[in-house]
Amino acid sequence: MSSDMSEDGEYVTLTFPEDLLFFFKESRMKYKYVWPYTRMDFLRCYMIKSENEIIKYLYDIYNIYLNGSDMFEYDVSILITMIWRQLVKSLSKIDFIPNKKDVERQERVQVMLVYIHTH
């Protein structure tokens, strides 16, 4: 999805199902390379520097979107997978230390889920 924000600015949203990233149901990639990052409550955003390869992939997706392609879905799926690969490589090098508020929130959610499950 794309929308103009100003004369020289545009907001582009890329939304896709996480299933795309682990290729088939119950794959090992799901548990090793996808869920540890998509289920991380305390990771709200990640800054991508302009020299990062991810930026190139995002521009490639945007150009495919603008120009169209006979294989639009396939081309974009491959690029999304490449973006995810770069993100996982970058994020796996970072030691995440969640703040106290996020940990407490996650604990409250877990308590509620246990209660719902038992009752």
Side-chain angles (χ1 to χ4, degrees), residues 11-25:
Y11 180 79
V12 178
T13 304
L14 180 63
T15 307
F16 58 92
E18 70 178 359
D19 296 13
L20 174 71
L21 301 172
F22 44 84
F23 303 104
F24 60 91
K25 190 173 182 165

Side-chain angles (χ1 to χ4, degrees), residues 2-12 62:
S2 172
S3 56
D4 293 331
M5 299 299 289
S6 64
E7 287 182 26
D8 61 346
E10 188 172 8
Y11 180 79
V12 178
Y62 186 63

Side-chain angles (χ1 to χ4, degrees), residues 49-92:
K49 297 181 180 174
S50 61
E51 68 274 2
N52 195 307
E53 206 169 344
I54 292 171
I55 300 296
K56 177 195 169 297
Y57 294 141
L58 290 170
Y59 275 117
D60 290 346
I61 290 172
Y62 186 63
N63 286 326
I64 290 170
Y65 167 75
L66 288 178
N67 301 322
S69 167
D70 294 341
M71 298 176 62
F72 176 81
E73 293 89 356
Y74 189 71
D75 292 339
V76 170
S77 295
I78 289 171
L79 289 167
I80 288 171
T81 305
M82 295 302 293
I83 289 169
W84 190 256
R85 180 179 181 272
Q86 290 297 329
L87 280 171
V88 168
K89 280 174 58 176
S90 298
L91 292 172
S92 65

